[in-house]
Amino acid sequence: AAAPAPRVALAVALRALNCALVQTSFVPDEHWQSLEVAHRMLFVILNIHNYGYLTWEWANRLRGYSYPLIFASIYKVLQLLGKDDVQLLIWVPRLAQALLAALADVKLYSLVQNLENAETAKCVFFCQLCSWFTWYSCTRTLTNTMETILTTFALSYYPMKGSKMGNSCKYLALVALAIVIRPTAVIPWIPLVFSHFLQEQRKADLLLQNCIPIGLVTVGTSLIIDRVFFGEWVLVQLNFLKFNVLQNLGTFYGSHPWHWYFTQGLPVILGTHLPFFIHGCVLAPKRYRVFLLTVIWTLLVYSTLSHKEFRFIYPVLPLCMVFCGYSLKHLKAWKKPAASFLLLSNLIPALYTGLVHQRGTLDVMSHIQQLCNNSEHSQAFVFIVMPCHSTPFYSHVHCPLKMRFLQCPPDLTGNESYIDEADAFYSNPLGWLNKEFYNDTLLPSHLILFNVLEQEISSFLALRGYEKTATVFHTHLPQGRVGSHIYIYRRKTDTNY
């Protein structure tokens, strides 16, 4: 087997490169449920600055502060060093996430090496490193990413049959931490913990000496952190599960057919690994059945929820890589051509999704940042006329610039005629703008919009004296309200900007 240090160095170097080569946006949560919250925690709550924004989830106590606290701590260190430059605030949290992802890659190697041998472990390690979806997601500041990383760490200590590395205390503590950060982490761990419980001879000790103390400590710590920042006692994990699972209110953000994870979700995130995964499932020894059961169970549970996303099943991807690596190792004479195929076929989607697809909503922030360098920024007013949460916010600007975007909180009161601000706007963009900005003194100095909206509001732009100052590429695959390019408009009368 390769020495641990070179393997760690390879993983860290690759994930650092991975971080640099992912310059696109995936979903709003990577900013709005982590960096935006952390920015407000540090700079607003500590009265360093008086600007920031929290989404409706925080007003309704659906999210906890434990995960954003990690990034707020990074921000605090940068601020103490006098290095709280906006670019460092953007990239240092992502580099920290990349470092953790690299360590998770190494932990996956250790797990398989311990269960099998170095050759199989190398094949699993290779499959993990060349997975396009892991490349696309693992350096993003998403709770799903941290859930996946902690799940991989926990798996390396999971007491599998034949494992010498099993440690009930360590793996349960990591599972508890994953559940605190993202409560749905409980789903893949139900079959794994249940299987462990069945094979454990000292069941009472497992419950009394491990499960209960670890659960009390992690939930207690989470409660205290949330008490500090919310100002009241609240169990956000319960609220989160109630909203997303019991009430299934996530359908507000779209719904998919029940079979979506089996027909699209898993095949897409596996990509060209899919045939290797199927082959590995057939070949793998009986002791790996609990891993396969976990994958199927997770897909089935998520299939019962109407709102579905690729990232929700990201935590089972490392488990899938174990089967892919097992398949690759047993291909013998075909191993090198198969490895070359996996590498090349994953390289294209990894680079395209990381560098090209949906990059405009991040690139446009550099144009907004420039307004902060101008002494007149206190008079600027940026209105992001795009689907809500399309762009990051103050975490990517880091100055008290007046900004606004179209809101889209779901209705939690049961009002069937409820229409959010974004839907109201898109039902009649021109009429909405004329009504909202009936007085010229209220007009934004800058408008940020997708090109598909330009034609509809062209008369408003012309009459109110707006001129296009920049065009930013976003995607080759525009759909609905999302265009291929983003336009920046500035009012001509605002000559100071």
Side-chain angles (χ1 to χ4, degrees):
R7 194 163 57 248
V8 173
L10 169 66
V12 170
L14 191 74
R15 291 307 177 201
L17 178 66
N18 186 169
C19 183
L21 294 179
V22 173
Q23 300 170 19
T24 55
S25 60
F26 181 11
V27 287
D29 279 14
E30 65 186 294
H31 310 296
W32 290 92
Q33 306 300 348
S34 54
L35 301 185
E36 292 302 327
V37 183
H39 191 272
R40 190 178 181 279
M41 284 168 76
L42 180 65
F43 297 111
V44 178
I45 294 172
L46 296 184
N47 294 317
I48 297 170
H49 301 305
N50 63 349
Y51 59 92
Y53 189 89
L54 290 180
T55 58
W56 65 272
E57 289 102 326
W58 298 86
N60 288 284
R61 312 293 196 258
L62 296 182
R63 302 279 184 167
Y65 281 97
S66 301
Y67 182 56
L69 184 60
I70 298 167
F71 303 117
S73 304
I74 292 171
Y75 286 170
K76 183 62 182 175
V77 171
L78 290 172
Q79 189 243 333
L80 288 172
L81 294 172
K83 300 289 184 185
D84 57 330
D85 170 75
V86 66
Q87 292 304 322
L88 289 176
L89 293 182
I90 293 167
W91 285 100
V92 173
R94 289 204 50 213
L95 281 166
Q97 200 84 56
L99 176 62
L100 288 172
L103 296 177
D105 295 335
V106 175
K107 281 291 185 186
L108 190 64
Y109 178 99
S110 302
L111 167 71
V112 182
Q113 185 183 35
N114 176 244
L115 290 171
E116 295 290 332
N117 50 54
E119 190 185 353
T120 309
K122 282 178 187 175
C123 290
V124 172
F125 191 56
F126 174 81
C127 288
Q128 170 75 356
L129 293 181
C130 73
S131 162
W132 83 269
F133 192 80
T134 300
W135 177 278
Y136 182 59
S137 307
C138 74
T139 64
R140 298 182 186 276
T141 50
L142 274 166
T143 52
N144 309 88
T145 299
M146 187 58 86
E147 178 192 353
T148 305
I149 287 167
L150 290 171
T151 293
T152 310
F153 283 157
L155 283 170
S156 69
Y157 297 111
Y158 181 72
M160 286 272 288
K161 286 177 184 175
S163 170
K164 298 166 192 165
M165 301 275 289
N167 185 313
S168 298
C169 187
K170 285 183 181 178
Y171 105 80
L172 287 168
L174 288 160
V175 170
L177 185 56
I179 293 168
V180 161
I181 287 171
R182 189 166 179 88
T184 49
V186 74
I187 295 168
W189 280 101
I190 287 172
L192 287 163
V193 172
F194 186 65
S195 173
H196 172 210
F197 183 76
L198 288 179
Q199 71 183 40
E200 181 64 51
Q201 292 178 328
R202 294 156 57 187
K203 290 179 172 57
D205 288 351
L206 178 67
L207 287 171
L208 297 172
Q209 293 178 19
N210 289 313
C211 295
I212 293 173
I214 287 167
L216 289 173
V217 169
T218 49
V219 172
T221 306
S222 170
L223 278 169
I224 292 166
I225 291 168
D226 290 331
R227 172 71 178 83
V228 169
F229 291 101
F230 280 125
E232 63 184 42
W233 294 105
V234 56
L235 189 59
V236 293
Q237 290 79 19
L238 186 62
N239 292 343
F240 181 90
L241 287 170
K242 203 183 290 182
F243 178 89
N244 287 291
V245 180
L246 302 178
Q247 295 173 298
N248 202 13
L249 290 171
T251 51
F252 181 82
Y253 294 108
S255 59
H256 298 81
W258 70 268
H259 55 78
W260 188 84
Y261 284 118
F262 293 95
T263 55
Q264 291 180 59
L266 190 66
V268 167
I269 70 168
L270 276 173
T272 52
H273 283 75
L274 183 60
F276 296 89
F277 170 66
I278 295 167
H279 182 228
C281 289
V282 174
L283 284 181
K286 283 183 181 178
R287 67 170 175 269
Y288 289 111
R289 281 181 185 169
V290 68
F291 286 175
L292 181 57
L293 176 67
T294 300
V295 173
I296 295 168
W297 160 263
T298 304
L299 297 183
L300 284 171
V301 172
Y302 275 119
S303 293
T304 64
L305 304 176
S306 299
H307 180 58
K308 299 173 175 67
E309 292 187 40
F310 294 112
R311 63 190 174 106
F312 293 169
I313 56 168
Y314 177 32
V316 300
L317 196 56
L319 288 173
C320 296
M321 291 302 127
V322 172
F323 294 101
C324 295
Y326 204 85
S327 164
L328 189 63
K329 188 251 182 186
H330 284 83
L331 288 177
K332 295 173 183 173
W334 290 93
K335 191 196 293 184
K336 282 190 178 178
S340 301
F341 165 73
L342 272 177
L343 182 62
L344 292 171
S345 61
N346 278 272
L347 191 63
I348 295 164
L351 292 176
Y352 181 77
T353 56
L355 290 169
V356 181
H357 181 58
Q358 295 184 172
R359 67 170 296 138
T361 49
L362 293 184
D363 288 346
V364 79
M365 297 311 291
S366 61
H367 292 269
I368 298 174
Q369 287 162 17
Q370 288 168 18
L371 298 174
C372 295
N373 301 327
N374 193 310
S375 59
E376 304 290 332
H377 78 256
S378 59
Q379 295 172 32
F381 171 21
V382 178
F383 189 13
I384 301 166
V385 197
M386 298 159 81
C388 64
H389 307 123
S390 288
T391 66
F393 217 46
Y394 286 110
S395 67
H396 283 54
V397 176
H398 195 48
C399 83
L401 188 67
K402 185 181 178 183
M403 295 198 293
R404 179 182 170 185
F405 64 94
L406 295 169
Q407 308 269 348
C408 62
D411 173 58
L412 303 178
T413 63
N415 178 6
E416 291 182 11
S417 60
Y418 172 76
I419 299 174
D420 65 51
E421 185 180 52
D423 282 342
F425 168 80
Y426 280 103
S427 66
N428 181 11
L430 187 59
W432 190 94
L433 286 170
N434 284 326
K435 184 181 177 183
E436 188 75 9
F437 302 112
Y438 61 89
N439 187 327
D440 276 12
T441 59
L442 303 172
L443 284 167
S445 61
H446 294 74
L447 290 174
I448 316 287
L449 54 117
F450 279 118
N451 59 320
V452 289
L453 184 65
E454 185 185 47
Q455 196 66 39
E456 285 191 74
I457 63 168
S458 57
S459 60
F460 174 86
L461 296 170
L463 286 169
R464 302 304 172 99
Y466 284 97
E467 63 177 347
K468 193 188 299 180
T469 57
T471 299
V472 179
F473 170 78
H474 181 60
T475 179
H476 290 119
L477 305 166
Q479 54 181 165
R481 298 171 180 177
V482 177
S484 60
H485 290 76
I486 296 169
Y487 294 155
I488 300 174
Y489 274 87
R490 183 185 67 179
R491 281 199 83 203
K492 293 176 194 170
T493 51
D494 299 318
T495 52
N496 293 321
Y497 304 107

